[in-house]
Amino acid sequence: MNIRDRRSVFGMEVSVDALLSMAAGRLRGRASGLVDQLVQIYHDEIPEFWEDDDLANPLLASIAEELSAVLSALEGGVGLDAVEIPASAASHSRGFAQRGRPLSALLRSYRLAQNCMLKWMLEETRRLTSDVELLNAATVRLITLSFEYVDRAAEQHVAAYQQERDRWLQRRLLVVNEASMRIGTTLDIARTGQELAEVGIEHIADLVTVDLLDPVLQGQNAERATAPVVLRRVAQQSVLEGCPETTAAIQQTLTHPEESAVARALVTGQASRHHIEPDHAPDRVAADPARVETLNAYRIHSELVVPLRARGTTLGVAQFFRHHTATPFTDDDLLLAQEIAARAAVYIDNARRYTHERSIALTLQRSLLPQRLAGSSTVEVAARYLPAGSHAGVGGDWYDVIPLSGGRVALVVGDVVGHGLAASATMGRLRTAVRALADVDVRPDELLTRLDDVVIRLRHEESPVTEETIATCLYAVYDPVSCQCSLASAGHVLPAFVTPDGAVDFPDLPIGPPLGLGGLPFETAEFELQEGSLLALYTDGLINAPARDIDIGLGLMRDVLSRLSTSSIEETCDTLLATLLSGRPTDDVALLLARTRVFNADQVAAWSIPADPAAVSDARRYASDQLTAWGLDHAVFTTELVVSELVTNAIRYGGSPIQLRLIRQATLICEVSDASNTAPHLRRARMSDEGGRGLLLVAQLTERWGTRFTGSGKIIWAEQPLQEAGSLPESAMGYVLDLEALAHLDSEP
């Protein structure tokens, strides 16, 4: 767009291009000073960017090169689409990926450079002219050019970064696959540790040591580690012959104080990465002169401390060091070390368990049950499990609480017929299958139908001499928004419902056949629950007894639930077990209590959205206003983007009616429903594609997302945490361009 017939710049008639050319020429004359300003801005805005000079310094050089090229193009009147992105920039993006650095820091640096360039250019144009119309036209032109250039550059940087990340991921898969084949070839604990060290030397570190707790070496259950911890060296391997970098010998015991990284790893179960400054020993080893001398002598500069954990038990610690390799460990190296160590830990634990079959069965049963119930703001939950008192001990009873989308929760209780290791293993498979099917978010009757197929398939996979697998299961879903509870039973005893005033009811609902029979239907029952209602789900071992009729057991349960309807559910659990069970039960018992909660009206907001693309901006405004009313201004930007993508997809690919719903609990849930039954698919758009990045952007912006189907269509939901700032991750900035705002700006006079 040219502005002619104006004598605003030094008495000369100028166009927008001429004005931008003059401004760029003046800036190019002081380009070195502009780069210095960028350096200071980066120091202030991205302090973590300077942790690695090998990455920061080349980036500054590439940005200076790009700045010069952009100013030259503007001065010469050449479109920015003709400016080539320097090869050094793509190389630097690959370097970021190699070091495991986040792409967000790289993209943010280019956004900062863009903002600075815009600021400098606009300042120069204002010095050259005071013509408002000319300045407005130049501003629009400059913003358009800069966004087009930066978006094009960002796409190339993301592509280079992702290519390198894909290459590293392929290497990681190969290393992990190799580790799976080379580690755990025997049931010897020391040999397994040595295999871990050998794989670590070849692919990760220059020195690897493996230390285990003494009970593990003796085949006993490892106790919870407390500081100071005492470990025994079982394996070590170095690129140098004889492992001269370590002061410990095989089978030597090592004591680690509470403040040491090893002790923290054992106590917390968390891996850590450490940088060791030359001639400066960490505080945790400063008291050991021999260790300090070794660190300095071999110039050990980087360390990984990885706990060896298997099936919830910490067995020991693997340490990885670098001295021969110049580059320090990255987060990617830590992740790879954790994956290899995790596999080694499983094999070490297998060797430990080999001589303790009885403890295997009991530990398996305990580990397969939920270690922590996820009730949160939807329900208050408590559960108990008691193994049978017979010699078999371990059975197949289980319970579970599974968070679902939209603030809903699934309550599950089941029973595999039989006892022993086989029943426990089947129980674990079924619980895993239920969790997997719950992620699909289907109705309870459909879930049990699919679970029935799983049981039949498991039975066909078993040995012909194995008894048939029969199991029962009750699956219930509670929605705190509508207060609706839907459940289906596969041969399982029905739950008890307790109203807030203490009325107890054992509803007469349809019960389907047990799992494993196949071909028979299940039915979902739906009913409404008051806030504060109590659901009691249990297995038949709780009410059945050799010398007691089942009706008597139900009567005892009714009395306890009615009497303790307002008591804590933990107390109610204990009282139920004490009242209905005299001594050790003859069958396994699983008990799950859940007290319902209801979302208040100010926690849910919903709007009907017309099937018109113009309604997307209204949907964003609805969401923004609601978040402001909730005091969640920090989440507005991210939520507006999520709402925009989901509503746009619903309008474009779904059908009326379309509804937007926000739910505020411990997390912020955004739901968009439409009348289509077609599920969306997350795909990676090619660089040449004009679209296809919407769901990828939603996946990057939120913690979880998914789809659930209803009787009239589907709901696409996304969930983001509220305890953290809800600002837009920089990793998604390369995809985001507010075209509506840009069009509005372009239309200004």
Side-chain angles (χ1 to χ4, degrees):
M1 175 172 59
N2 294 327
I3 304 297
R4 299 189 179 277
D5 301 325
R6 293 191 180 278
R7 311 180 64 86
S8 302
V9 181
F10 306 129
M12 300 171 58
E13 295 182 4
V14 298
S15 65
V16 171
D17 289 336
L19 178 62
L20 295 180
S21 175
M22 296 171 63
R26 297 179 63 162
L27 288 178
R28 201 162 68 88
R30 48 191 179 93
S32 60
L34 300 181
V35 173
D36 292 339
Q37 293 184 42
L38 271 180
V39 172
Q40 185 59 49
I41 291 173
Y42 285 170
H43 273 291
D44 296 338
E45 298 292 333
I46 321 177
E48 70 275 11
F49 194 71
W50 303 95
E51 296 175 358
D52 193 336
D53 291 339
D54 292 337
L55 292 177
N57 293 333
L59 177 61
L60 290 176
S62 67
I63 289 179
E65 185 178 351
E66 287 191 71
L67 180 63
S68 177
V70 169
L71 291 176
S72 297
L74 290 174
E75 184 180 12
V78 180
L80 293 185
D81 55 349
V83 178
E84 294 292 334
I85 308 301
S88 60
S91 176
H92 188 265
S93 298
R94 288 190 289 270
F96 251 64
Q98 292 168 359
R99 298 293 184 89
R101 296 289 182 175
L103 180 61
S104 57
L106 183 64
L107 294 179
R108 186 180 178 191
S109 67
Y110 282 95
R111 288 296 182 186
L112 287 175
Q114 176 200 21
N115 293 338
C116 290
M117 192 272 289
L118 283 173
K119 175 185 174 184
W120 295 329
M121 284 291 295
L122 294 176
E123 288 175 350
E124 288 300 324
T125 57
R126 294 190 186 99
R127 293 189 183 101
L128 292 171
T129 181
S130 60
D131 189 301
V132 175
E133 185 176 357
L134 184 60
L135 286 174
N136 285 343
T139 300
V140 172
R141 179 68 179 277
L142 188 59
I143 290 177
T144 302
L145 291 174
S146 66
F147 268 95
E148 289 176 352
Y149 176 79
V150 171
D151 284 347
R152 180 163 58 89
E155 287 183 358
Q156 296 190 25
H157 294 311
V158 169
Y161 183 93
Q162 191 59 49
Q163 287 174 359
E164 188 62 30
R165 291 298 298 168
D166 291 343
R167 188 192 66 79
W168 185 91
L169 288 174
Q170 184 178 13
R171 170 185 172 270
R172 171 181 155 194
L173 291 174
L174 292 174
V175 172
V176 172
N177 183 61
E178 179 183 345
S180 299
M181 294 185 294
R182 292 178 54 186
I183 299 175
T185 58
T186 69
L187 284 174
D188 182 83
I189 293 177
R191 179 57 194 164
T192 302
Q194 187 62 34
E195 291 167 346
L196 167 62
E198 292 172 356
V199 172
I201 286 301
E202 294 182 16
H203 299 286
I204 302 177
D206 300 324
L207 170 67
V208 179
T209 64
V210 180
D211 304 323
L212 298 178
L213 295 165
D214 269 339
V216 175
L217 295 172
Q218 299 167 7
Q220 301 175 1
N221 293 328
E223 299 179 357
R224 180 179 177 84
T226 57
V229 296
V230 178
L231 298 173
R232 189 175 299 275
R233 178 66 49 84
V234 297
Q236 56 188 16
Q237 188 72 22
S238 169
V239 294
L240 304 178
E241 186 176 354
C243 299
E245 314 96 311
T246 177
T247 59
I250 299 298
Q251 294 301 319
Q252 179 179 340
T253 58
L254 304 168
T255 301
H256 298 272
E258 181 178 0
E259 65 274 11
S260 68
V262 171
R264 288 198 300 269
L266 281 169
V267 172
T268 65
Q270 300 296 318
S272 58
R273 176 169 59 92
H274 306 276
H275 178 68
I276 304 173
E277 295 290 341
D279 300 318
H280 180 72
D283 294 339
R284 64 180 185 274
V285 298
D288 187 348
R291 181 87 182 278
V292 174
E293 182 179 353
T294 299
L295 289 175
N296 294 333
Y298 291 94
R299 313 301 293 177
I300 296 175
H301 59 81
S302 196
E303 175 188 11
L304 301 178
V305 181
V306 182
L308 297 172
R309 290 180 57 83
R311 301 175 181 91
T313 302
T314 302
L315 311 173
V317 169
Q319 294 173 269
F320 302 77
F321 303 90
R322 276 186 180 174
H323 54 81
H324 184 72
T325 304
T327 58
F329 288 120
T330 66
D331 289 337
D332 288 336
D333 295 321
L334 180 60
L335 179 61
L336 180 58
Q338 286 179 278
E339 292 196 20
I340 295 176
R343 281 160 172 74
V346 171
Y347 294 126
I348 291 173
D349 196 48
N350 286 343
R352 176 181 66 86
R353 290 165 168 250
Y354 181 68
T355 56
H356 293 272
E357 184 174 348
R358 170 63 180 170
S359 62
I360 289 177
L362 185 57
T363 303
L364 176 63
Q365 175 71 5
R366 295 296 185 184
S367 65
L368 289 176
L369 290 173
Q371 304 302 310
R372 182 169 55 88
L373 296 178
S376 69
S377 59
T378 302
V379 291
E380 179 188 2
V381 292
R384 298 291 186 270
Y385 169 78
L386 289 179
S390 63
H391 180 70
V394 180
D397 291 19
W398 91 92
Y399 57 84
D400 209 347
V401 180
I402 308 172
L404 302 177
S405 63
R408 299 168 305 130
V409 64
L411 307 172
V412 191
V413 65
D415 183 5
V416 177
V417 176
H419 293 85
L421 187 59
S424 297
T426 302
M427 177 271 289
R429 292 177 177 179
L430 294 186
R431 178 171 177 261
T432 302
V434 169
R435 279 193 162 264
L437 293 171
D439 283 341
V440 183
D441 223 334
V442 295
R443 287 171 53 86
D445 58 328
E446 183 177 350
L447 183 141
L448 292 182
T449 300
R450 297 187 182 186
L451 189 62
D452 187 39
D453 293 336
V454 171
V455 174
I456 294 174
R457 186 164 59 251
L458 289 176
R459 185 172 62 217
H460 290 164
E461 293 173 357
E462 298 291 344
S463 169
V465 299
T466 305
E467 295 182 1
E468 290 189 355
T469 301
I470 299 294
T472 66
C473 181
L474 179 72
Y475 185 83
V477 176
Y478 173 66
D479 186 343
V481 178
S482 64
C483 301
Q484 291 291 318
C485 180
S486 57
L487 65 83
S489 171
H492 200 86
V493 290
L494 294 172
F497 297 91
V498 187
T499 61
D501 58 5
V504 181
D505 183 29
F506 294 92
D508 185 15
L509 301 176
I511 299 178
L515 301 172
L517 298 183
L520 299 176
F522 300 96
E523 185 175 346
T524 295
E526 296 185 353
F527 45 91
E528 185 173 345
L529 293 176
Q530 303 177 45
E531 181 177 6
S533 297
L534 185 68
L535 283 77
L537 286 70
Y538 52 92
T539 56
D540 56 3
L542 181 65
I543 56 176
N544 277 337
R548 186 181 65 201
D549 187 83
I550 188 172
D551 291 334
I552 297 177
L554 292 175
L556 293 174
M557 176 180 286
R558 182 189 299 273
D559 293 341
V560 172
L561 293 176
S562 177
R563 177 164 42 90
L564 301 180
S565 61
T566 59
S567 302
S568 72
I569 57 176
E570 295 288 345
E571 178 185 353
T572 305
C573 274
D574 294 335
T575 305
L576 277 172
L577 294 180
T579 303
L580 276 78
L581 303 176
S582 55
R584 295 297 301 274
T586 57
D587 193 7
D588 287 40
V589 173
L591 173 63
L592 176 63
L593 298 185
R595 178 168 284 131
T596 62
R597 294 167 176 161
V598 176
F599 287 168
N600 297 326
D602 61 354
Q603 292 182 269
V604 182
W607 303 270
S608 295
I609 306 297
D612 182 356
V616 176
S617 60
D618 292 334
R620 288 198 300 265
R621 187 178 69 256
Y622 297 153
S624 174
D625 293 345
Q626 186 61 57
L627 292 186
T628 300
W630 282 340
L632 302 177
D633 298 274
H634 64 272
V636 168
F637 193 20
T638 300
T639 306
E640 281 186 341
L641 288 170
V642 172
V643 168
S644 181
E645 294 297 340
L646 296 185
V647 172
T648 298
N649 281 349
I651 293 174
R652 183 175 299 173
Y653 306 111
S656 297
I658 298 173
Q659 185 184 64
L660 167 65
R661 185 169 74 165
L662 297 179
I663 302 175
R664 174 178 60 88
Q665 47 170 354
T667 59
L668 178 63
I669 302 171
C670 174
E671 296 182 342
V672 175
S673 61
D674 60 59
S676 172
N677 288 318
T678 302
H681 297 282
L682 182 66
R683 67 182 182 90
R684 185 176 300 282
R686 296 169 297 183
M687 291 179 58
S688 59
D689 291 345
E690 296 183 1
R693 297 177 176 87
L695 287 180
L696 178 61
L697 182 60
V698 171
Q700 290 177 332
L701 296 176
T702 60
E703 188 175 72
R704 298 192 308 151
W705 76 278
T707 305
R708 70 175 185 268
F709 293 95
T710 64
S712 58
K714 69 174 182 297
I715 297 174
I716 305 179
W717 57 270
E719 182 176 321
Q720 52 182 308
L722 293 180
Q723 61 269 26
E724 301 175 356
S727 58
L728 178 66
E730 288 85 348
S731 60
M733 287 296 290
Y735 296 116
V736 178
L737 177 60
D738 194 341
L739 298 178
E740 181 180 353
L742 186 57
H744 176 72
L745 181 60
D746 193 51
S747 66
E748 290 289 328

